[in-house]
Amino acid sequence: MLFFPALVLVLTAAMLVVAILRPPNRPAAVAGLYLLGYANIVLAGQIANSFWAMNRLWVWIALHSIFLAAAWLAWQKAGRPSLVAPWKDQEGRFLPAGWRASLPRWPELWLLGLGVGLAFLLSAVLIWVVPPNNNDSLATHMSRVGYWMQRGSFFPWPTTRIWQVSYPVNMQLQMFWTALFFGSDRIVESVQWLGALAAVVVVFGLARLLGASRPQALFAALVWATFPEIILESTTTQNDLVAGTLFSAMVYLLFLGLKTRNTGALMLSGLALALGLGTKQTLFFLLPGLALVLLLLLWWGGRQTARMLLAWGWSGLAAFLLVGAYMFVVNQISFGHPMGPETAVSAQTGGQTSQSLRENLAFNVFRLMYQAVDPTGLPDPLTGYAFKAKALVVGKLAEWVGYPVEEPVAVAPGHKFVLRERYVLQEDAAWYGPLFTLLVLPALVYQLWVGLRTKDALRVSIFIFALTFLILDAALRPGWDPFQGRYFIPVVILSTPLIAFIFRPGRPALPARWLIVLLALIITQQTFLYNSGKPLNGESTVWTMNQTQLKTLQSFYMREPVMMVEKYVPADATLGLVTYSAFLEYPFFREDFSRRLVQIEPPERIQDLEWLRGQGVEYIAILTSEAVPAAAVPDELVPVAGAGNWTLFTWRISNSP
């Protein structure tokens, strides 16, 4: 297995470059290591893709070796700076002084740290046990990995789901890398898990930058790790958590670099922005806020700040051209638009008119804020009572002022906003729980006032990012739907450090500290127990289900066709698919990517027998409720089995390829 040698190559190159850049503190060094390792895989993937060689291990090993050699030469030229210095504090220690003495002084903080550590450990176990099973992962994220594995490239292919071939690729390149070197999908969710760990460090670093003590900063970082959506996202193959980590790391390193006049931190900040824009398109909603923040920094800063921002901008542009722009260029060449086909872009942003923009702002800013007031994680029946109370109070107020918040206006197709709706606890629909509501939201407003009074650009900037993202997400998304909580992860990471100052020393604050810690641990426990995507409670749990059951747990209608294919189609066969619409095809690949899939797109191509034979198609699965009439299926194909709306065909013996 080449997984560990490849990992050593990537991490060693990253450590050499971190030593060259000399970040000013350990959180920045950790962030730099994460960013440089991420960038290494992205750059190698882009080069391998250009030569249709993504599925060749030796190409990746060669590229990582070349990057390591380049980093070593640069390190030599820089005077062989210390490799361990970035990981020590100002007194030259690897660990903070007095950490043992902190146990009797901060027992509640140690308890919270133990709980969060166990939560990350349990998440790692769930990653190993439970395969990717959320709808977006099966239809887009992991399906991309499967097709890239068999094609050796992410250049567009015929597909019923256009997002498979047009979304940014940086996050999926990390998952592809783990799957290629590990030989299966067993640890692909670890990419988000590592992103969560990196975000804990970023939250700590931001809190310290705001002036918090080490215990206060650690408190904020640990509380962030107990928010329900963060726990749920950290074991998925979605990209929201990683995108949030990249953007928040950009903000942290930017302000740290300006404060310490550290060019290395500014360069890493530019790299983080480039990687983030190449990871998830919703980060573009944060760019107007970033523009306002830069104007604020220029207004409150001097010439030195302007010069450093100029250097940051150039480094960010260079990094974007290197590791951020590739997929946008592919889209421009393939579809005539950097974001993909015009129809797909319009579907994601709603094709807004002036009227729809007004309606979205009038309704959806409020709806999103309503969802952010979230009691998720409290033990039942408290959670249920809290949801009902929230709906009752807000409903009466809306009725009193004549605000028709539940009207079917500014909603996405197939959805309806209902005040009393309580959505299932899973990564798509979850928000951030009662501690976010009780601590972060008030701190966001209070710290804005503190920032304006003291001209603290970081405090004001955090509020700017939160407000502008809320407005743009509400305005530009194609109507409200219940699945937008995860898009707010970047601003939640940026906002949570503001709660550090709530953790005050002294006996008067002791009951509040313990109450917050115990509530955080209860929320963590409840989130794990009642996660519908990875259930640990009830009659059916992750420990009692097989891989097919786990993979189709959140899309039960796919279970029968997957079982049919597993029964009749050999593991190494080529399976053609006719569906007429997007669906969740990843389970057909199998966990080791041994089965090859071919989308027969457009469906009429099923009549092209020469093309089918040229593709090596041995079996064809047709979603019969949407398929062409039976007469359109060539006589050379005969049915083998059926499952629900699916029918499996193969060649007559005399016509098999």
Side-chain angles (χ1 to χ4, degrees), residues 634-647:
D635 292 337
E636 287 82 355
L637 297 171
V638 294
V640 175
N645 293 328
W646 290 81
T647 304

PDB file of all heavy atoms in Angstrom, residues 634-647:
ATOM      1  N   PRO A 634     -33.267  -2.495 -27.841  1.00  0.00           N
ATOM      2  CA  PRO A 634     -32.937  -3.393 -28.957  1.00  0.00           C
ATOM      3  C   PRO A 634     -33.225  -4.852 -28.633  1.00  0.00           C
ATOM      4  O   PRO A 634     -33.130  -5.292 -27.481  1.00  0.00           O
ATOM      5  CB  PRO A 634     -31.430  -3.151 -29.155  1.00  0.00           C
ATOM      6  CG  PRO A 634     -31.164  -1.819 -28.540  1.00  0.00           C
ATOM      7  CD  PRO A 634     -32.123  -1.680 -27.405  1.00  0.00           C
ATOM      8  N   ASP A 635     -33.570  -5.594 -29.656  1.00  0.00           N
ATOM      9  CA  ASP A 635     -33.855  -7.018 -29.465  1.00  0.00           C
ATOM     10  C   ASP A 635     -32.639  -7.780 -28.984  1.00  0.00           C
ATOM     11  O   ASP A 635     -32.763  -8.872 -28.416  1.00  0.00           O
ATOM     12  CB  ASP A 635     -34.354  -7.625 -30.780  1.00  0.00           C
ATOM     13  CG  ASP A 635     -35.721  -7.077 -31.175  1.00  0.00           C
ATOM     14  OD1 ASP A 635     -36.439  -6.607 -30.268  1.00  0.00           O
ATOM     15  OD2 ASP A 635     -36.041  -7.095 -32.376  1.00  0.00           O
ATOM     16  N   GLU A 636     -31.466  -7.213 -29.248  1.00  0.00           N
ATOM     17  CA  GLU A 636     -30.240  -7.892 -28.828  1.00  0.00           C
ATOM     18  C   GLU A 636     -30.069  -7.918 -27.311  1.00  0.00           C
ATOM     19  O   GLU A 636     -29.194  -8.622 -26.796  1.00  0.00           O
ATOM     20  CB  GLU A 636     -29.020  -7.205 -29.453  1.00  0.00           C
ATOM     21  CG  GLU A 636     -28.854  -7.463 -30.952  1.00  0.00           C
ATOM     22  CD  GLU A 636     -29.739  -6.539 -31.788  1.00  0.00           C
ATOM     23  OE1 GLU A 636     -30.554  -5.769 -31.198  1.00  0.00           O
ATOM     24  OE2 GLU A 636     -29.603  -6.568 -33.029  1.00  0.00           O
ATOM     25  N   LEU A 637     -30.887  -7.141 -26.593  1.00  0.00           N
ATOM     26  CA  LEU A 637     -30.822  -7.098 -25.133  1.00  0.00           C
ATOM     27  C   LEU A 637     -32.017  -7.830 -24.538  1.00  0.00           C
ATOM     28  O   LEU A 637     -33.142  -7.680 -25.007  1.00  0.00           O
ATOM     29  CB  LEU A 637     -30.813  -5.645 -24.643  1.00  0.00           C
ATOM     30  CG  LEU A 637     -29.616  -4.798 -25.075  1.00  0.00           C
ATOM     31  CD1 LEU A 637     -29.834  -3.335 -24.707  1.00  0.00           C
ATOM     32  CD2 LEU A 637     -28.334  -5.312 -24.434  1.00  0.00           C
ATOM     33  N   VAL A 638     -31.775  -8.614 -23.517  1.00  0.00           N
ATOM     34  CA  VAL A 638     -32.848  -9.374 -22.873  1.00  0.00           C
ATOM     35  C   VAL A 638     -32.857  -9.046 -21.379  1.00  0.00           C
ATOM     36  O   VAL A 638     -31.807  -8.799 -20.781  1.00  0.00           O
ATOM     37  CB  VAL A 638     -32.656 -10.890 -23.066  1.00  0.00           C
ATOM     38  CG1 VAL A 638     -32.792 -11.261 -24.528  1.00  0.00           C
ATOM     39  CG2 VAL A 638     -31.300 -11.338 -22.517  1.00  0.00           C
ATOM     40  N   PRO A 639     -34.044  -8.999 -20.761  1.00  0.00           N
ATOM     41  CA  PRO A 639     -34.112  -8.702 -19.326  1.00  0.00           C
ATOM     42  C   PRO A 639     -33.546  -9.835 -18.484  1.00  0.00           C
ATOM     43  O   PRO A 639     -33.716 -11.010 -18.799  1.00  0.00           O
ATOM     44  CB  PRO A 639     -35.603  -8.493 -19.080  1.00  0.00           C
ATOM     45  CG  PRO A 639     -36.277  -9.232 -20.184  1.00  0.00           C
ATOM     46  CD  PRO A 639     -35.373  -9.159 -21.375  1.00  0.00           C
ATOM     47  N   VAL A 640     -32.896  -9.447 -17.405  1.00  0.00           N
ATOM     48  CA  VAL A 640     -32.316 -10.402 -16.469  1.00  0.00           C
ATOM     49  C   VAL A 640     -33.086 -10.413 -15.162  1.00  0.00           C
ATOM     50  O   VAL A 640     -33.396 -11.466 -14.608  1.00  0.00           O
ATOM     51  CB  VAL A 640     -30.835 -10.060 -16.195  1.00  0.00           C
ATOM     52  CG1 VAL A 640     -30.249 -10.973 -15.113  1.00  0.00           C
ATOM     53  CG2 VAL A 640     -30.017 -10.146 -17.468  1.00  0.00           C
ATOM     54  N   ALA A 641     -33.413  -9.210 -14.667  1.00  0.00           N
ATOM     55  CA  ALA A 641     -34.091  -9.096 -13.375  1.00  0.00           C
ATOM     56  C   ALA A 641     -34.717  -7.719 -13.278  1.00  0.00           C
ATOM     57  O   ALA A 641     -34.423  -6.820 -14.071  1.00  0.00           O
ATOM     58  CB  ALA A 641     -33.104  -9.329 -12.234  1.00  0.00           C
ATOM     59  N   GLY A 642     -35.566  -7.547 -12.295  1.00  0.00           N
ATOM     60  CA  GLY A 642     -36.190  -6.261 -12.037  1.00  0.00           C
ATOM     61  C   GLY A 642     -36.219  -5.973 -10.555  1.00  0.00           C
ATOM     62  O   GLY A 642     -36.234  -6.883  -9.720  1.00  0.00           O
ATOM     63  N   ALA A 643     -36.213  -4.676 -10.219  1.00  0.00           N
ATOM     64  CA  ALA A 643     -36.294  -4.253  -8.823  1.00  0.00           C
ATOM     65  C   ALA A 643     -36.953  -2.885  -8.793  1.00  0.00           C
ATOM     66  O   ALA A 643     -36.368  -1.902  -9.248  1.00  0.00           O
ATOM     67  CB  ALA A 643     -34.909  -4.190  -8.186  1.00  0.00           C
ATOM     68  N   GLY A 644     -38.182  -2.840  -8.300  1.00  0.00           N
ATOM     69  CA  GLY A 644     -38.895  -1.573  -8.298  1.00  0.00           C
ATOM     70  C   GLY A 644     -39.092  -1.072  -9.717  1.00  0.00           C
ATOM     71  O   GLY A 644     -39.627  -1.789 -10.577  1.00  0.00           O
ATOM     72  N   ASN A 645     -38.664   0.136  -9.987  1.00  0.00           N
ATOM     73  CA  ASN A 645     -38.780   0.716 -11.322  1.00  0.00           C
ATOM     74  C   ASN A 645     -37.592   0.416 -12.215  1.00  0.00           C
ATOM     75  O   ASN A 645     -37.500   0.943 -13.320  1.00  0.00           O
ATOM     76  CB  ASN A 645     -38.947   2.240 -11.218  1.00  0.00           C
ATOM     77  CG  ASN A 645     -40.268   2.618 -10.578  1.00  0.00           C
ATOM     78  OD1 ASN A 645     -41.255   1.913 -10.726  1.00  0.00           O
ATOM     79  ND2 ASN A 645     -40.278   3.721  -9.842  1.00  0.00           N
ATOM     80  N   TRP A 646     -36.691  -0.399 -11.729  1.00  0.00           N
ATOM     81  CA  TRP A 646     -35.487  -0.714 -12.494  1.00  0.00           C
ATOM     82  C   TRP A 646     -35.621  -2.079 -13.163  1.00  0.00           C
ATOM     83  O   TRP A 646     -36.176  -3.004 -12.601  1.00  0.00           O
ATOM     84  CB  TRP A 646     -34.263  -0.735 -11.579  1.00  0.00           C
ATOM     85  CG  TRP A 646     -33.863   0.612 -11.067  1.00  0.00           C
ATOM     86  CD1 TRP A 646     -34.403   1.287 -10.015  1.00  0.00           C
ATOM     87  CD2 TRP A 646     -32.819   1.438 -11.578  1.00  0.00           C
ATOM     88  NE1 TRP A 646     -33.766   2.494  -9.832  1.00  0.00           N
ATOM     89  CE2 TRP A 646     -32.790   2.608 -10.779  1.00  0.00           C
ATOM     90  CE3 TRP A 646     -31.907   1.308 -12.621  1.00  0.00           C
ATOM     91  CZ2 TRP A 646     -31.879   3.640 -11.012  1.00  0.00           C
ATOM     92  CZ3 TRP A 646     -31.000   2.329 -12.847  1.00  0.00           C
ATOM     93  CH2 TRP A 646     -30.998   3.480 -12.047  1.00  0.00           C
ATOM     94  N   THR A 647     -35.050  -2.156 -14.367  1.00  0.00           N
ATOM     95  CA  THR A 647     -34.938  -3.435 -15.071  1.00  0.00           C
ATOM     96  C   THR A 647     -33.501  -3.597 -15.546  1.00  0.00           C
ATOM     97  O   THR A 647     -32.910  -2.663 -16.090  1.00  0.00           O
ATOM     98  CB  THR A 647     -35.880  -3.501 -16.281  1.00  0.00           C
ATOM     99  OG1 THR A 647     -37.222  -3.255 -15.850  1.00  0.00           O
ATOM    100  CG2 THR A 647     -35.813  -4.873 -16.941  1.00  0.00           C
TER     101      THR A 647
END
